[in-house]
Structures are given as C-alpha cells and as structure tokens.
Amino acid sequence: MHEAGLLAAAIADALAAPGPDEAAGPGAAGARRPVAVAIRVLDPIHVGVESARMHAELALRARGLEGVPIEVTADPVVCPMCDVANEVHADHPFCEACGWPLPDRGGHQVEAVVRWTAA
C-alpha cells in the first residue's frame, strides 16, 4: 500500500513544480494542462512497475486528469556479487545470474516528471 502514497506524493510534487518558463508554477491562473507524465521507479525491489502505473493513474484521476498518458520506467539494479544489471520484479528481488539478493536502494523510490502543453 505504500506505493499509493509514494505515487500520490510524486505526482503532486511534479504538478506543483514550475516548468522551465514558469516562474509562478503550473498552479497559477491560466495554467497549462499536463500532456504526459513520466514515472521513473528508482527502487524496483520495493515498487513494481505495474503497481506504479496503477497508482499514478489513480493519483491523476483524483485530480481530474484522467486520460493523461503515463510512461513508467524502472532502473536496473546491479548485483553486488557478480556486477550484473538486473531488470527486477518486486516479487523476486534476486540476481538473475547468480541468485544473490539485490540491494535495497533506500531513499526516494519514485520520481515523476510532467510535460505541459505549450503556452
């Protein structure tokens, strides 16, 4: 369930952040509408890609932004034992090559970036 809170916070932060040409941020009067959201899963051991997508969709829907396309990517996790980059699944956090447990990254687990319509 922690994914729901992580994604809601990441979406809220991304929507509140000013764009490159917006000093007041997208919440200002006459704000632009988001056209896409990119979610990057930094810790795929604790947050699954499909779970991130679902919770991002719910967070956007709660803000009246259903239908905004969402792209979710996950960083590979490098095995500390054999140095192989792994595409991790949250239900199997072990190295595909040697079976060693993959490290917990800690810290921020997801990031979100919003693309806005042109001014």
Side-chain angles (χ1 to χ4, degrees), residues 3-93:
E3 291 101 338
L6 289 172
L7 270 298
I11 295 288
D13 290 348
L15 290 170
D21 59 348
E22 295 178 309
R32 301 179 296 171
R33 183 161 174 83
V35 295
V37 175
I39 304 292
R40 183 173 159 214
V41 178
L42 304 171
D43 187 359
I45 291 172
H46 291 104
V47 179
V49 170
E50 289 308 313
S51 179
R53 180 181 314 283
M54 179 191 71
H55 289 297
E57 287 173 359
L58 293 172
L60 288 171
R61 185 176 303 142
R63 290 170 172 76
L65 298 172
E66 57 274 339
V68 173
I70 301 169
E71 176 187 337
V72 181
T73 58
D75 286 356
V77 178
V78 176
C79 176
M81 182 61 86
C82 68
D83 208 33
V84 168
N86 289 266
E87 297 297 322
V88 179
H89 302 283
D91 59 344
H92 187 75

Side-chain angles (χ1 to χ4, degrees), residues 106-117:
H108 292 293
Q109 296 177 338
V110 295
E111 291 177 344
V113 175
V114 176
R115 274 198 354 250
W116 300 92
T117 57

